[in-house]
Amino acid sequence: MSSYSTLRIKEIIQETPNAVSLVFEIPNELKKDFSFIPGQFLGLKAKINGEEVRRAYSISSSPQDENIQVSVKKIADGIFSVYANEKLVVGDTLEAMVPEGKFQLQTNAAAAKNYMAFAAGSGITPIMSMIKTVLTTEKQSKFVLVYGNKSNTEAMFLRDLLELQTSYPERLFIEFIYSQENTDGAKFGRIDKSIVNYALKNKFDGIEFNDYYLCGPETMINSVKDVLSENKIDDNNIHFELFTSSTDVSNDGNTEGVSTVEVIVDDESITIESDKKATLLDNILKADIDAPYSCKGGVCASCICRVVEGEVNMPVNNLLTDSEVAEGLILSCQAYAVSDNIKIDFDDA
């Protein structure tokens, strides 16, 4: 299981009225541990009003940067996001896990590729890391970004993106989409079928893209994926990460009774009783086992484990591939016990 390290906040950048970037100073002895691939996230932990709160936030800096930066948009009633935007100051520390995440863009200095990304709202954060890395390391590659927001003032990294576009006019192309204001040079509306087709068949017609990266709310991602599929884009070239999920999780398996669950974590085996109406992760945490997790929403993959024995039900899965599920991997925050005896392993996931 990933352990936490204490990181000091070196700088706080006010990206928009409702979003900040936290720049963490990485000690020399931790630089190797905190190396990352563009698209990955940090799991953060803090004590807020006496309660331990964990969240996962995408890294918005480039691996070539000296420090690691995550960006946090304030959400109404969001315990951690409000804390980050309103309470944290330079010099404060947070507990952080090493970078994780399956949403990745692996760069190669010799590559000459074309990338297209669709991002909405704070979904820009991992895409920002990808853009900066591609521009600085793949000097023959091009990047197209379709970026949706409510308004100009709500667009995170707007100044940085415009500066990058000025610096790389032949390699970075951006289409801004605003749903609540008309702005010169931007389209009005949301990232929907018409916008995706405009990008594919009009503005960037004739360009063969190698990979597509999607990040934002589930409705946007599903809409874009559908249009890409209609345009004969191979699923293997479509990569996505949800920032929020609109799916209501419900357990459609056997919810009566309890299961005996053997939990292997950090080379220890602990047996608990698991209420079949609650997720495996909730039961594990209730038993005071320090299993890995961050978001508890099925969008970060921190809580992946392997089912060694028994049967579970995972009604929502937005991360694992069919082959990974066939191998026994599950998201413990989305999985429920079905059989009466189960064995799960966090160390072999």
Side-chain angles (χ1 to χ4, degrees), residues 6-11 23-27 90-94:
T6 301
L7 299 183
R8 175 184 175 274
I9 299 175
K10 181 178 181 180
E11 183 181 5
V23 182
F24 292 103
E25 187 175 36
I26 308 299
V90 171
D92 284 347
T93 60
L94 290 175

Side-chain angles (χ1 to χ4, degrees), residues 167-180:
S167 299
Y168 301 93
E170 302 301 320
R171 297 178 54 213
L172 175 62
F173 308 91
I174 306 174
E175 288 294 317
F176 293 102
I177 318 295
Y178 297 128
S179 63
Q180 295 185 5

